Amino acid sequence: MKRRAFYLGVLMLVVSIALSSSARAAVSKEPEEVWQELLKLPNDERQKRLVTGARAEGKAILYGNVSADHQERLRVDFEKRYGVKLEGYRASGERAANRLLTEARSNKVDADVMAPSNEHIPVLIKAGVAGRYNSPERAAFPDAHKDRQGYWTAYDYNVAVIA
């Protein structure tokens, strides 16, 4: 079950990375407008456009607190599957969120996908850094693992227990 959840998370992240790259290529529109247009396409056509956009950009960038071993597995799989280099900035959720906010203030956000800690997501949404994308892959996740507005989908979770 844990392995399946991880790979579902990888699938979601992979699609998000390709989507973000494709969306950034269409600079005349807001990313959410591009994403909504892509959602109207049949799955095969949508996937083709996402991969084409990601390849044109040449790389995808992930910011977040994803563990090193998971990030490496994701990188290997992503590069093999799509022929697009995956780079990452790995830091605590707070440091990743601060970097995203700093880049947003300078109007140059490098990240295609962000994976900060949950407590930082509302600030990133309010600052306009996080975009809404209700990916079809979200259907594989329970409702408790995603927000209704389409801003985030949890690819993992930690359980804290007081003992």
Side-chain angles (χ1 to χ4, degrees), residues 37-52:
E37 289 175 11
L38 287 169
L39 285 172
K40 295 174 185 173
L41 298 174
N43 286 343
D44 290 345
E45 178 61 24
R46 178 179 57 84
Q47 186 68 14
K48 181 180 174 184
R49 286 196 192 177
L50 293 172
V51 172
T52 300

PDB file of all heavy atoms in Angstrom, residues 37-52:
ATOM      1  N   GLU A  37      -7.535  24.858 -20.369  1.00  0.00           N
ATOM      2  CA  GLU A  37      -7.632  24.445 -21.774  1.00  0.00           C
ATOM      3  C   GLU A  37      -7.129  23.014 -21.959  1.00  0.00           C
ATOM      4  O   GLU A  37      -7.726  22.224 -22.688  1.00  0.00           O
ATOM      5  CB  GLU A  37      -6.826  25.401 -22.660  1.00  0.00           C
ATOM      6  CG  GLU A  37      -7.453  26.770 -22.791  1.00  0.00           C
ATOM      7  CD  GLU A  37      -6.589  27.740 -23.568  1.00  0.00           C
ATOM      8  OE1 GLU A  37      -5.591  27.318 -24.203  1.00  0.00           O
ATOM      9  OE2 GLU A  37      -6.912  28.940 -23.537  1.00  0.00           O
ATOM     10  N   LEU A  38      -6.041  22.678 -21.287  1.00  0.00           N
ATOM     11  CA  LEU A  38      -5.492  21.329 -21.396  1.00  0.00           C
ATOM     12  C   LEU A  38      -6.448  20.283 -20.841  1.00  0.00           C
ATOM     13  O   LEU A  38      -6.539  19.176 -21.371  1.00  0.00           O
ATOM     14  CB  LEU A  38      -4.148  21.239 -20.669  1.00  0.00           C
ATOM     15  CG  LEU A  38      -2.980  21.929 -21.371  1.00  0.00           C
ATOM     16  CD1 LEU A  38      -1.784  22.013 -20.434  1.00  0.00           C
ATOM     17  CD2 LEU A  38      -2.614  21.194 -22.653  1.00  0.00           C
ATOM     18  N   LEU A  39      -7.164  20.633 -19.785  1.00  0.00           N
ATOM     19  CA  LEU A  39      -8.104  19.677 -19.190  1.00  0.00           C
ATOM     20  C   LEU A  39      -9.257  19.330 -20.120  1.00  0.00           C
ATOM     21  O   LEU A  39      -9.891  18.293 -19.956  1.00  0.00           O
ATOM     22  CB  LEU A  39      -8.651  20.223 -17.868  1.00  0.00           C
ATOM     23  CG  LEU A  39      -7.682  20.163 -16.691  1.00  0.00           C
ATOM     24  CD1 LEU A  39      -8.249  20.901 -15.496  1.00  0.00           C
ATOM     25  CD2 LEU A  39      -7.365  18.721 -16.330  1.00  0.00           C
ATOM     26  N   LYS A  40      -9.527  20.179 -21.101  1.00  0.00           N
ATOM     27  CA  LYS A  40     -10.609  19.920 -22.052  1.00  0.00           C
ATOM     28  C   LYS A  40     -10.208  18.920 -23.135  1.00  0.00           C
ATOM     29  O   LYS A  40     -11.060  18.406 -23.849  1.00  0.00           O
ATOM     30  CB  LYS A  40     -11.044  21.236 -22.711  1.00  0.00           C
ATOM     31  CG  LYS A  40     -11.667  22.215 -21.726  1.00  0.00           C
ATOM     32  CD  LYS A  40     -11.957  23.539 -22.386  1.00  0.00           C
ATOM     33  CE  LYS A  40     -12.463  24.546 -21.363  1.00  0.00           C
ATOM     34  NZ  LYS A  40     -12.601  25.888 -21.935  1.00  0.00           N
ATOM     35  N   LEU A  41      -8.914  18.647 -23.250  1.00  0.00           N
ATOM     36  CA  LEU A  41      -8.418  17.746 -24.294  1.00  0.00           C
ATOM     37  C   LEU A  41      -8.579  16.288 -23.889  1.00  0.00           C
ATOM     38  O   LEU A  41      -8.555  15.962 -22.705  1.00  0.00           O
ATOM     39  CB  LEU A  41      -6.930  18.026 -24.553  1.00  0.00           C
ATOM     40  CG  LEU A  41      -6.574  19.407 -25.069  1.00  0.00           C
ATOM     41  CD1 LEU A  41      -5.050  19.558 -25.114  1.00  0.00           C
ATOM     42  CD2 LEU A  41      -7.177  19.652 -26.441  1.00  0.00           C
ATOM     43  N   PRO A  42      -8.679  15.389 -24.872  1.00  0.00           N
ATOM     44  CA  PRO A  42      -8.641  13.952 -24.544  1.00  0.00           C
ATOM     45  C   PRO A  42      -7.295  13.626 -23.882  1.00  0.00           C
ATOM     46  O   PRO A  42      -6.287  14.288 -24.151  1.00  0.00           O
ATOM     47  CB  PRO A  42      -8.749  13.271 -25.916  1.00  0.00           C
ATOM     48  CG  PRO A  42      -9.282  14.313 -26.840  1.00  0.00           C
ATOM     49  CD  PRO A  42      -8.858  15.639 -26.298  1.00  0.00           C
ATOM     50  N   ASN A  43      -7.282  12.611 -23.037  1.00  0.00           N
ATOM     51  CA  ASN A  43      -6.083  12.278 -22.262  1.00  0.00           C
ATOM     52  C   ASN A  43      -4.825  12.130 -23.113  1.00  0.00           C
ATOM     53  O   ASN A  43      -3.770  12.637 -22.748  1.00  0.00           O
ATOM     54  CB  ASN A  43      -6.313  11.009 -21.448  1.00  0.00           C
ATOM     55  CG  ASN A  43      -7.213  11.247 -20.262  1.00  0.00           C
ATOM     56  OD1 ASN A  43      -7.423  12.387 -19.840  1.00  0.00           O
ATOM     57  ND2 ASN A  43      -7.772  10.183 -19.725  1.00  0.00           N
ATOM     58  N   ASP A  44      -4.914  11.425 -24.235  1.00  0.00           N
ATOM     59  CA  ASP A  44      -3.730  11.209 -25.078  1.00  0.00           C
ATOM     60  C   ASP A  44      -3.185  12.521 -25.628  1.00  0.00           C
ATOM     61  O   ASP A  44      -1.976  12.745 -25.628  1.00  0.00           O
ATOM     62  CB  ASP A  44      -4.044  10.252 -26.227  1.00  0.00           C
ATOM     63  CG  ASP A  44      -4.267   8.826 -25.758  1.00  0.00           C
ATOM     64  OD1 ASP A  44      -3.919   8.512 -24.604  1.00  0.00           O
ATOM     65  OD2 ASP A  44      -4.802   8.025 -26.548  1.00  0.00           O
ATOM     66  N   GLU A  45      -4.077  13.377 -26.108  1.00  0.00           N
ATOM     67  CA  GLU A  45      -3.654  14.664 -26.664  1.00  0.00           C
ATOM     68  C   GLU A  45      -3.077  15.559 -25.571  1.00  0.00           C
ATOM     69  O   GLU A  45      -2.071  16.240 -25.775  1.00  0.00           O
ATOM     70  CB  GLU A  45      -4.824  15.375 -27.355  1.00  0.00           C
ATOM     71  CG  GLU A  45      -4.488  16.738 -27.922  1.00  0.00           C
ATOM     72  CD  GLU A  45      -3.413  16.734 -29.000  1.00  0.00           C
ATOM     73  OE1 GLU A  45      -3.211  15.701 -29.667  1.00  0.00           O
ATOM     74  OE2 GLU A  45      -2.760  17.783 -29.176  1.00  0.00           O
ATOM     75  N   ARG A  46      -3.704  15.561 -24.393  1.00  0.00           N
ATOM     76  CA  ARG A  46      -3.220  16.375 -23.274  1.00  0.00           C
ATOM     77  C   ARG A  46      -1.813  15.927 -22.889  1.00  0.00           C
ATOM     78  O   ARG A  46      -0.901  16.737 -22.758  1.00  0.00           O
ATOM     79  CB  ARG A  46      -4.161  16.252 -22.077  1.00  0.00           C
ATOM     80  CG  ARG A  46      -3.701  17.044 -20.852  1.00  0.00           C
ATOM     81  CD  ARG A  46      -4.682  16.911 -19.701  1.00  0.00           C
ATOM     82  NE  ARG A  46      -4.925  15.546 -19.311  1.00  0.00           N
ATOM     83  CZ  ARG A  46      -4.141  14.852 -18.480  1.00  0.00           C
ATOM     84  NH1 ARG A  46      -3.091  15.412 -17.949  1.00  0.00           N
ATOM     85  NH2 ARG A  46      -4.433  13.608 -18.189  1.00  0.00           N
ATOM     86  N   GLN A  47      -1.626  14.624 -22.761  1.00  0.00           N
ATOM     87  CA  GLN A  47      -0.308  14.099 -22.378  1.00  0.00           C
ATOM     88  C   GLN A  47       0.742  14.443 -23.425  1.00  0.00           C
ATOM     89  O   GLN A  47       1.867  14.821 -23.090  1.00  0.00           O
ATOM     90  CB  GLN A  47      -0.392  12.592 -22.165  1.00  0.00           C
ATOM     91  CG  GLN A  47       0.881  11.981 -21.641  1.00  0.00           C
ATOM     92  CD  GLN A  47       1.212  12.407 -20.225  1.00  0.00           C
ATOM     93  OE1 GLN A  47       0.392  12.955 -19.500  1.00  0.00           O
ATOM     94  NE2 GLN A  47       2.442  12.191 -19.836  1.00  0.00           N
ATOM     95  N   LYS A  48       0.374  14.343 -24.695  1.00  0.00           N
ATOM     96  CA  LYS A  48       1.312  14.664 -25.781  1.00  0.00           C
ATOM     97  C   LYS A  48       1.756  16.120 -25.690  1.00  0.00           C
ATOM     98  O   LYS A  48       2.939  16.431 -25.810  1.00  0.00           O
ATOM     99  CB  LYS A  48       0.649  14.390 -27.130  1.00  0.00           C
ATOM    100  CG  LYS A  48       1.528  14.662 -28.320  1.00  0.00           C
ATOM    101  CD  LYS A  48       0.779  14.352 -29.613  1.00  0.00           C
ATOM    102  CE  LYS A  48       1.599  14.767 -30.818  1.00  0.00           C
ATOM    103  NZ  LYS A  48       0.858  14.577 -32.068  1.00  0.00           N
ATOM    104  N   ARG A  49       0.825  17.025 -25.462  1.00  0.00           N
ATOM    105  CA  ARG A  49       1.164  18.451 -25.356  1.00  0.00           C
ATOM    106  C   ARG A  49       2.018  18.742 -24.130  1.00  0.00           C
ATOM    107  O   ARG A  49       2.930  19.562 -24.180  1.00  0.00           O
ATOM    108  CB  ARG A  49      -0.097  19.297 -25.312  1.00  0.00           C
ATOM    109  CG  ARG A  49      -0.765  19.389 -26.655  1.00  0.00           C
ATOM    110  CD  ARG A  49      -1.755  20.505 -26.680  1.00  0.00           C
ATOM    111  NE  ARG A  49      -2.576  20.412 -27.874  1.00  0.00           N
ATOM    112  CZ  ARG A  49      -3.566  21.238 -28.133  1.00  0.00           C
ATOM    113  NH1 ARG A  49      -3.867  22.196 -27.279  1.00  0.00           N
ATOM    114  NH2 ARG A  49      -4.262  21.097 -29.237  1.00  0.00           N
ATOM    115  N   LEU A  50       1.726  18.072 -23.027  1.00  0.00           N
ATOM    116  CA  LEU A  50       2.507  18.279 -21.812  1.00  0.00           C
ATOM    117  C   LEU A  50       3.952  17.838 -22.015  1.00  0.00           C
ATOM    118  O   LEU A  50       4.893  18.557 -21.663  1.00  0.00           O
ATOM    119  CB  LEU A  50       1.886  17.498 -20.651  1.00  0.00           C
ATOM    120  CG  LEU A  50       0.518  17.965 -20.183  1.00  0.00           C
ATOM    121  CD1 LEU A  50      -0.055  16.995 -19.162  1.00  0.00           C
ATOM    122  CD2 LEU A  50       0.601  19.359 -19.602  1.00  0.00           C
ATOM    123  N   VAL A  51       4.136  16.673 -22.597  1.00  0.00           N
ATOM    124  CA  VAL A  51       5.481  16.149 -22.809  1.00  0.00           C
ATOM    125  C   VAL A  51       6.219  17.017 -23.824  1.00  0.00           C
ATOM    126  O   VAL A  51       7.394  17.336 -23.638  1.00  0.00           O
ATOM    127  CB  VAL A  51       5.430  14.673 -23.239  1.00  0.00           C
ATOM    128  CG1 VAL A  51       6.807  14.179 -23.649  1.00  0.00           C
ATOM    129  CG2 VAL A  51       4.865  13.815 -22.111  1.00  0.00           C
ATOM    130  N   THR A  52       5.554  17.442 -24.881  1.00  0.00           N
ATOM    131  CA  THR A  52       6.176  18.305 -25.881  1.00  0.00           C
ATOM    132  C   THR A  52       6.637  19.612 -25.242  1.00  0.00           C
ATOM    133  O   THR A  52       7.751  20.086 -25.494  1.00  0.00           O
ATOM    134  CB  THR A  52       5.194  18.588 -27.039  1.00  0.00           C
ATOM    135  OG1 THR A  52       4.841  17.353 -27.647  1.00  0.00           O
ATOM    136  CG2 THR A  52       5.802  19.526 -28.063  1.00  0.00           C
TER     137      THR A  52
END
